[in-house]
Amino acid sequence: MTRRLVQLFVGLFLYGLSIALIVRADLGLDPWDVLNQGVFERFAAPAGISFGMVVNLIGMAVLLLWIPLRQKPGVGTVANVLVIGTVANFGMDWIPSGLGLPLRAGLLIGGIVLNGVASGAYIGAGLGPGPRDGLMTGLCARTGWPVRRVRTGIELTVVAAGWLLGGSVGPGTVLYAVTIGPLVHLFLPMFSLHRRTGEPASQG
């Protein structure tokens, strides 16, 4: 359990850092962060609320959607809501903005790869899915629709909503969309911890 907890929090820390890298690259965000940024620009920034706090608050709001879906959160679910946005804030404070295009491209690529590593680590710990992962699996269970259809529908919805609110959509959004699946597929087996029964850790 100690190893699983350490892996969980390291994974969440790296995930928050990956968000900061992608935001500072300013070449387009991943689908959920398009929504996060749109909400931040339209509502939170004028009120003095940080981007990282928006990430956490939207995570909490998504978690409320678990109630009608009868999803049960785990330790990792709660930690996900509290840690990722907080770390993203610190990362954005330390990583400068307004860099040249080559450096921004490097931040984007590094952020996406780090996001894949982080996803493999925190999911592989098997301590509960993140709010967004649980929303997807809950909808699949309740509707009987395939994961690909549900995930695509959710991400198109949040991208559209975030873009309408002023979130950043660009080549980075497309690059993330086409690479994150293969990256998680690569890294998840490396980090999946096995219980004593030999069963693989939950992938959420």
Side-chain angles (χ1 to χ4, degrees):
M1 178 58 74
T2 300
R3 180 183 172 185
R4 292 167 69 190
L5 284 169
V6 170
Q7 180 173 310
L8 169 69
F9 281 98
V10 169
L12 294 176
F13 177 89
L14 294 178
Y15 198 102
L17 181 59
S18 75
I19 290 176
L21 291 170
I22 295 171
V23 169
R24 287 295 182 235
D26 195 23
L27 292 169
L29 304 175
D30 69 90
W32 278 99
D33 283 323
V34 173
L35 177 62
N36 292 332
Q37 188 182 57
V39 172
F40 171 72
E41 295 289 348
R42 183 64 64 91
F43 304 110
I49 299 173
S50 69
F51 176 83
M53 181 59 69
V54 171
V55 173
N56 289 345
L57 290 174
I58 289 181
M60 293 178 190
V62 173
L63 195 56
L64 293 176
L65 297 177
W66 284 30
I67 297 173
L69 297 174
R70 299 178 183 175
Q71 292 286 92
K72 295 181 179 180
V75 173
T77 309
V78 177
N80 186 297
V81 170
L82 298 175
V83 173
I84 288 178
T86 304
V87 174
N89 256 358
F90 284 115
M92 290 171 63
D93 286 341
W94 284 95
I95 302 169
S97 59
L99 300 172
L101 182 58
L103 287 175
R104 288 161 55 206
L107 289 179
L108 174 65
I109 294 170
I112 292 174
V113 173
L114 186 61
N115 192 279
V117 173
S119 296
Y122 91 75
I123 295 172
L127 291 172
R132 299 154 189 84
D133 301 320
L135 175 63
M136 178 188 68
T137 55
L139 285 171
C140 289
R142 298 287 287 177
T143 64
W145 294 342
V147 171
R148 180 171 59 182
R149 180 178 175 185
V150 172
R151 177 161 185 167
T152 300
I154 291 173
E155 295 197 349
L156 287 175
T157 300
V158 298
V159 165
W163 179 73
L164 289 172
L165 290 170
S168 176
V169 176
T173 309
V174 177
L175 183 62
Y176 183 94
V178 300
T179 59
I180 193 60
L183 285 169
V184 175
H185 181 79
L186 172 65
F187 290 114
L188 183 57
M190 298 181 186
F191 293 105
S192 290
L193 300 180
H194 294 259
R195 302 181 180 89
R196 292 181 180 178
T197 60
E199 297 176 358
S202 169
Q203 297 182 12

PDB file of all heavy atoms in Angstrom, residues 132-156:
ATOM      1  N   ARG A 132     -12.763  12.546 -14.071  1.00  0.00           N
ATOM      2  CA  ARG A 132     -13.124  12.484 -15.479  1.00  0.00           C
ATOM      3  C   ARG A 132     -13.141  11.050 -15.984  1.00  0.00           C
ATOM      4  O   ARG A 132     -14.000  10.673 -16.781  1.00  0.00           O
ATOM      5  CB  ARG A 132     -12.159  13.360 -16.284  1.00  0.00           C
ATOM      6  CG  ARG A 132     -12.226  14.832 -15.862  1.00  0.00           C
ATOM      7  CD  ARG A 132     -10.925  15.583 -16.144  1.00  0.00           C
ATOM      8  NE  ARG A 132     -10.926  16.912 -15.539  1.00  0.00           N
ATOM      9  CZ  ARG A 132     -10.602  17.174 -14.275  1.00  0.00           C
ATOM     10  NH1 ARG A 132     -10.248  16.197 -13.456  1.00  0.00           N
ATOM     11  NH2 ARG A 132     -10.625  18.410 -13.817  1.00  0.00           N
ATOM     12  N   ASP A 133     -12.187  10.239 -15.510  1.00  0.00           N
ATOM     13  CA  ASP A 133     -12.167   8.820 -15.877  1.00  0.00           C
ATOM     14  C   ASP A 133     -13.425   8.127 -15.361  1.00  0.00           C
ATOM     15  O   ASP A 133     -14.038   7.313 -16.058  1.00  0.00           O
ATOM     16  CB  ASP A 133     -10.931   8.127 -15.289  1.00  0.00           C
ATOM     17  CG  ASP A 133      -9.631   8.758 -15.760  1.00  0.00           C
ATOM     18  OD1 ASP A 133      -9.549   9.108 -16.941  1.00  0.00           O
ATOM     19  OD2 ASP A 133      -8.708   8.906 -14.945  1.00  0.00           O
ATOM     20  N   GLY A 134     -13.792   8.441 -14.124  1.00  0.00           N
ATOM     21  CA  GLY A 134     -14.972   7.824 -13.525  1.00  0.00           C
ATOM     22  C   GLY A 134     -16.257   8.243 -14.213  1.00  0.00           C
ATOM     23  O   GLY A 134     -17.204   7.454 -14.323  1.00  0.00           O
ATOM     24  N   LEU A 135     -16.307   9.499 -14.678  1.00  0.00           N
ATOM     25  CA  LEU A 135     -17.475   9.950 -15.440  1.00  0.00           C
ATOM     26  C   LEU A 135     -17.630   9.113 -16.701  1.00  0.00           C
ATOM     27  O   LEU A 135     -18.737   8.666 -17.043  1.00  0.00           O
ATOM     28  CB  LEU A 135     -17.319  11.428 -15.796  1.00  0.00           C
ATOM     29  CG  LEU A 135     -18.405  12.030 -16.701  1.00  0.00           C
ATOM     30  CD1 LEU A 135     -19.765  11.994 -16.020  1.00  0.00           C
ATOM     31  CD2 LEU A 135     -18.033  13.459 -17.097  1.00  0.00           C
ATOM     32  N   MET A 136     -16.522   8.877 -17.376  1.00  0.00           N
ATOM     33  CA  MET A 136     -16.555   8.088 -18.603  1.00  0.00           C
ATOM     34  C   MET A 136     -17.008   6.652 -18.339  1.00  0.00           C
ATOM     35  O   MET A 136     -17.922   6.145 -18.990  1.00  0.00           O
ATOM     36  CB  MET A 136     -15.168   8.076 -19.252  1.00  0.00           C
ATOM     37  CG  MET A 136     -15.071   7.234 -20.515  1.00  0.00           C
ATOM     38  SD  MET A 136     -13.361   7.089 -21.100  1.00  0.00           S
ATOM     39  CE  MET A 136     -12.635   6.085 -19.781  1.00  0.00           C
ATOM     40  N   THR A 137     -16.378   6.001 -17.357  1.00  0.00           N
ATOM     41  CA  THR A 137     -16.726   4.602 -17.092  1.00  0.00           C
ATOM     42  C   THR A 137     -18.144   4.477 -16.544  1.00  0.00           C
ATOM     43  O   THR A 137     -18.845   3.507 -16.828  1.00  0.00           O
ATOM     44  CB  THR A 137     -15.727   3.972 -16.110  1.00  0.00           C
ATOM     45  OG1 THR A 137     -15.661   4.754 -14.905  1.00  0.00           O
ATOM     46  CG2 THR A 137     -14.337   3.898 -16.722  1.00  0.00           C
ATOM     47  N   GLY A 138     -18.579   5.484 -15.759  1.00  0.00           N
ATOM     48  CA  GLY A 138     -19.942   5.460 -15.243  1.00  0.00           C
ATOM     49  C   GLY A 138     -20.976   5.586 -16.347  1.00  0.00           C
ATOM     50  O   GLY A 138     -21.987   4.876 -16.352  1.00  0.00           O
ATOM     51  N   LEU A 139     -20.722   6.480 -17.302  1.00  0.00           N
ATOM     52  CA  LEU A 139     -21.635   6.621 -18.430  1.00  0.00           C
ATOM     53  C   LEU A 139     -21.661   5.356 -19.283  1.00  0.00           C
ATOM     54  O   LEU A 139     -22.722   4.944 -19.772  1.00  0.00           O
ATOM     55  CB  LEU A 139     -21.234   7.828 -19.281  1.00  0.00           C
ATOM     56  CG  LEU A 139     -21.572   9.198 -18.702  1.00  0.00           C
ATOM     57  CD1 LEU A 139     -20.935  10.306 -19.538  1.00  0.00           C
ATOM     58  CD2 LEU A 139     -23.082   9.406 -18.626  1.00  0.00           C
ATOM     59  N   CYS A 140     -20.516   4.741 -19.450  1.00  0.00           N
ATOM     60  CA  CYS A 140     -20.464   3.479 -20.203  1.00  0.00           C
ATOM     61  C   CYS A 140     -21.321   2.415 -19.520  1.00  0.00           C
ATOM     62  O   CYS A 140     -22.077   1.684 -20.173  1.00  0.00           O
ATOM     63  CB  CYS A 140     -19.022   2.984 -20.325  1.00  0.00           C
ATOM     64  SG  CYS A 140     -17.988   3.961 -21.427  1.00  0.00           S
ATOM     65  N   ALA A 141     -21.190   2.333 -18.198  1.00  0.00           N
ATOM     66  CA  ALA A 141     -21.935   1.316 -17.453  1.00  0.00           C
ATOM     67  C   ALA A 141     -23.438   1.565 -17.503  1.00  0.00           C
ATOM     68  O   ALA A 141     -24.233   0.629 -17.608  1.00  0.00           O
ATOM     69  CB  ALA A 141     -21.451   1.280 -16.003  1.00  0.00           C
ATOM     70  N   ARG A 142     -23.837   2.836 -17.440  1.00  0.00           N
ATOM     71  CA  ARG A 142     -25.264   3.160 -17.386  1.00  0.00           C
ATOM     72  C   ARG A 142     -25.933   3.122 -18.753  1.00  0.00           C
ATOM     73  O   ARG A 142     -27.122   2.820 -18.858  1.00  0.00           O
ATOM     74  CB  ARG A 142     -25.459   4.548 -16.774  1.00  0.00           C
ATOM     75  CG  ARG A 142     -24.972   4.676 -15.346  1.00  0.00           C
ATOM     76  CD  ARG A 142     -25.893   3.970 -14.364  1.00  0.00           C
ATOM     77  NE  ARG A 142     -27.137   4.698 -14.178  1.00  0.00           N
ATOM     78  CZ  ARG A 142     -28.136   4.271 -13.422  1.00  0.00           C
ATOM     79  NH1 ARG A 142     -28.046   3.097 -12.821  1.00  0.00           N
ATOM     80  NH2 ARG A 142     -29.232   4.991 -13.285  1.00  0.00           N
ATOM     81  N   THR A 143     -25.178   3.445 -19.813  1.00  0.00           N
ATOM     82  CA  THR A 143     -25.778   3.516 -21.143  1.00  0.00           C
ATOM     83  C   THR A 143     -25.527   2.272 -21.981  1.00  0.00           C
ATOM     84  O   THR A 143     -26.269   2.004 -22.923  1.00  0.00           O
ATOM     85  CB  THR A 143     -25.225   4.729 -21.914  1.00  0.00           C
ATOM     86  OG1 THR A 143     -23.811   4.561 -22.120  1.00  0.00           O
ATOM     87  CG2 THR A 143     -25.482   6.025 -21.156  1.00  0.00           C
ATOM     88  N   GLY A 144     -24.457   1.549 -21.652  1.00  0.00           N
ATOM     89  CA  GLY A 144     -24.079   0.406 -22.479  1.00  0.00           C
ATOM     90  C   GLY A 144     -23.326   0.798 -23.733  1.00  0.00           C
ATOM     91  O   GLY A 144     -22.995  -0.061 -24.564  1.00  0.00           O
ATOM     92  N   TRP A 145     -23.009   2.082 -23.879  1.00  0.00           N
ATOM     93  CA  TRP A 145     -22.265   2.536 -25.050  1.00  0.00           C
ATOM     94  C   TRP A 145     -20.787   2.179 -24.901  1.00  0.00           C
ATOM     95  O   TRP A 145     -20.267   2.093 -23.783  1.00  0.00           O
ATOM     96  CB  TRP A 145     -22.394   4.045 -25.211  1.00  0.00           C
ATOM     97  CG  TRP A 145     -23.790   4.495 -25.522  1.00  0.00           C
ATOM     98  CD1 TRP A 145     -24.810   3.732 -26.003  1.00  0.00           C
ATOM     99  CD2 TRP A 145     -24.318   5.811 -25.357  1.00  0.00           C
ATOM    100  NE1 TRP A 145     -25.943   4.480 -26.160  1.00  0.00           N
ATOM    101  CE2 TRP A 145     -25.679   5.762 -25.777  1.00  0.00           C
ATOM    102  CE3 TRP A 145     -23.794   7.014 -24.914  1.00  0.00           C
ATOM    103  CZ2 TRP A 145     -26.497   6.884 -25.757  1.00  0.00           C
ATOM    104  CZ3 TRP A 145     -24.613   8.132 -24.890  1.00  0.00           C
ATOM    105  CH2 TRP A 145     -25.939   8.073 -25.307  1.00  0.00           C
ATOM    106  N   PRO A 146     -20.052   1.994 -26.002  1.00  0.00           N
ATOM    107  CA  PRO A 146     -18.627   1.661 -25.918  1.00  0.00           C
ATOM    108  C   PRO A 146     -17.802   2.834 -25.396  1.00  0.00           C
ATOM    109  O   PRO A 146     -18.193   4.008 -25.546  1.00  0.00           O
ATOM    110  CB  PRO A 146     -18.250   1.317 -27.359  1.00  0.00           C
ATOM    111  CG  PRO A 146     -19.269   2.002 -28.197  1.00  0.00           C
ATOM    112  CD  PRO A 146     -20.535   2.005 -27.391  1.00  0.00           C
ATOM    113  N   VAL A 147     -16.657   2.508 -24.808  1.00  0.00           N
ATOM    114  CA  VAL A 147     -15.785   3.533 -24.221  1.00  0.00           C
ATOM    115  C   VAL A 147     -15.397   4.578 -25.257  1.00  0.00           C
ATOM    116  O   VAL A 147     -15.416   5.783 -24.972  1.00  0.00           O
ATOM    117  CB  VAL A 147     -14.525   2.878 -23.612  1.00  0.00           C
ATOM    118  CG1 VAL A 147     -13.514   3.942 -23.212  1.00  0.00           C
ATOM    119  CG2 VAL A 147     -14.896   2.034 -22.409  1.00  0.00           C
ATOM    120  N   ARG A 148     -15.027   4.134 -26.445  1.00  0.00           N
ATOM    121  CA  ARG A 148     -14.572   5.081 -27.470  1.00  0.00           C
ATOM    122  C   ARG A 148     -15.646   6.114 -27.782  1.00  0.00           C
ATOM    123  O   ARG A 148     -15.359   7.310 -27.893  1.00  0.00           O
ATOM    124  CB  ARG A 148     -14.191   4.320 -28.733  1.00  0.00           C
ATOM    125  CG  ARG A 148     -13.696   5.214 -29.866  1.00  0.00           C
ATOM    126  CD  ARG A 148     -13.131   4.404 -31.012  1.00  0.00           C
ATOM    127  NE  ARG A 148     -14.126   3.485 -31.548  1.00  0.00           N
ATOM    128  CZ  ARG A 148     -13.869   2.631 -32.542  1.00  0.00           C
ATOM    129  NH1 ARG A 148     -12.657   2.557 -33.053  1.00  0.00           N
ATOM    130  NH2 ARG A 148     -14.816   1.830 -32.993  1.00  0.00           N
ATOM    131  N   ARG A 149     -16.891   5.675 -27.888  1.00  0.00           N
ATOM    132  CA  ARG A 149     -17.990   6.595 -28.201  1.00  0.00           C
ATOM    133  C   ARG A 149     -18.228   7.573 -27.063  1.00  0.00           C
ATOM    134  O   ARG A 149     -18.398   8.776 -27.281  1.00  0.00           O
ATOM    135  CB  ARG A 149     -19.251   5.784 -28.479  1.00  0.00           C
ATOM    136  CG  ARG A 149     -20.477   6.621 -28.830  1.00  0.00           C
ATOM    137  CD  ARG A 149     -21.655   5.716 -29.128  1.00  0.00           C
ATOM    138  NE  ARG A 149     -22.876   6.470 -29.365  1.00  0.00           N
ATOM    139  CZ  ARG A 149     -24.067   5.912 -29.561  1.00  0.00           C
ATOM    140  NH1 ARG A 149     -24.187   4.590 -29.545  1.00  0.00           N
ATOM    141  NH2 ARG A 149     -25.136   6.659 -29.762  1.00  0.00           N
ATOM    142  N   VAL A 150     -18.225   7.069 -25.840  1.00  0.00           N
ATOM    143  CA  VAL A 150     -18.472   7.930 -24.684  1.00  0.00           C
ATOM    144  C   VAL A 150     -17.343   8.936 -24.504  1.00  0.00           C
ATOM    145  O   VAL A 150     -17.585  10.137 -24.309  1.00  0.00           O
ATOM    146  CB  VAL A 150     -18.655   7.088 -23.412  1.00  0.00           C
ATOM    147  CG1 VAL A 150     -18.705   7.982 -22.171  1.00  0.00           C
ATOM    148  CG2 VAL A 150     -19.925   6.257 -23.499  1.00  0.00           C
ATOM    149  N   ARG A 151     -16.100   8.461 -24.582  1.00  0.00           N
ATOM    150  CA  ARG A 151     -14.967   9.368 -24.378  1.00  0.00           C
ATOM    151  C   ARG A 151     -14.926  10.437 -25.455  1.00  0.00           C
ATOM    152  O   ARG A 151     -14.696  11.616 -25.162  1.00  0.00           O
ATOM    153  CB  ARG A 151     -13.652   8.585 -24.372  1.00  0.00           C
ATOM    154  CG  ARG A 151     -12.438   9.496 -24.245  1.00  0.00           C
ATOM    155  CD  ARG A 151     -11.203   8.797 -23.802  1.00  0.00           C
ATOM    156  NE  ARG A 151     -10.122   9.748 -23.598  1.00  0.00           N
ATOM    157  CZ  ARG A 151      -8.993   9.456 -22.977  1.00  0.00           C
ATOM    158  NH1 ARG A 151      -8.795   8.251 -22.492  1.00  0.00           N
ATOM    159  NH2 ARG A 151      -8.056  10.366 -22.845  1.00  0.00           N
ATOM    160  N   THR A 152     -15.156  10.030 -26.696  1.00  0.00           N
ATOM    161  CA  THR A 152     -15.158  11.009 -27.786  1.00  0.00           C
ATOM    162  C   THR A 152     -16.248  12.047 -27.567  1.00  0.00           C
ATOM    163  O   THR A 152     -16.019  13.255 -27.733  1.00  0.00           O
ATOM    164  CB  THR A 152     -15.363  10.323 -29.136  1.00  0.00           C
ATOM    165  OG1 THR A 152     -14.289   9.387 -29.358  1.00  0.00           O
ATOM    166  CG2 THR A 152     -15.382  11.339 -30.275  1.00  0.00           C
ATOM    167  N   GLY A 153     -17.438  11.606 -27.158  1.00  0.00           N
ATOM    168  CA  GLY A 153     -18.540  12.533 -26.915  1.00  0.00           C
ATOM    169  C   GLY A 153     -18.232  13.513 -25.801  1.00  0.00           C
ATOM    170  O   GLY A 153     -18.496  14.721 -25.923  1.00  0.00           O
ATOM    171  N   ILE A 154     -17.650  13.011 -24.702  1.00  0.00           N
ATOM    172  CA  ILE A 154     -17.304  13.887 -23.582  1.00  0.00           C
ATOM    173  C   ILE A 154     -16.270  14.920 -24.011  1.00  0.00           C
ATOM    174  O   ILE A 154     -16.407  16.120 -23.741  1.00  0.00           O
ATOM    175  CB  ILE A 154     -16.776  13.062 -22.388  1.00  0.00           C
ATOM    176  CG1 ILE A 154     -17.901  12.235 -21.767  1.00  0.00           C
ATOM    177  CG2 ILE A 154     -16.159  13.984 -21.339  1.00  0.00           C
ATOM    178  CD1 ILE A 154     -17.414  11.267 -20.701  1.00  0.00           C
ATOM    179  N   GLU A 155     -15.216  14.468 -24.695  1.00  0.00           N
ATOM    180  CA  GLU A 155     -14.127  15.379 -25.032  1.00  0.00           C
ATOM    181  C   GLU A 155     -14.542  16.402 -26.077  1.00  0.00           C
ATOM    182  O   GLU A 155     -14.133  17.564 -26.005  1.00  0.00           O
ATOM    183  CB  GLU A 155     -12.902  14.579 -25.469  1.00  0.00           C
ATOM    184  CG  GLU A 155     -12.342  13.732 -24.327  1.00  0.00           C
ATOM    185  CD  GLU A 155     -10.931  13.247 -24.558  1.00  0.00           C
ATOM    186  OE1 GLU A 155     -10.430  13.377 -25.687  1.00  0.00           O
ATOM    187  OE2 GLU A 155     -10.328  12.751 -23.586  1.00  0.00           O
ATOM    188  N   LEU A 156     -15.372  16.009 -27.032  1.00  0.00           N
ATOM    189  CA  LEU A 156     -15.882  16.989 -27.992  1.00  0.00           C
ATOM    190  C   LEU A 156     -16.743  18.035 -27.291  1.00  0.00           C
ATOM    191  O   LEU A 156     -16.687  19.231 -27.619  1.00  0.00           O
ATOM    192  CB  LEU A 156     -16.692  16.287 -29.084  1.00  0.00           C
ATOM    193  CG  LEU A 156     -15.893  15.492 -30.118  1.00  0.00           C
ATOM    194  CD1 LEU A 156     -16.833  14.755 -31.052  1.00  0.00           C
ATOM    195  CD2 LEU A 156     -14.958  16.406 -30.917  1.00  0.00           C
TER     196      LEU A 156
END
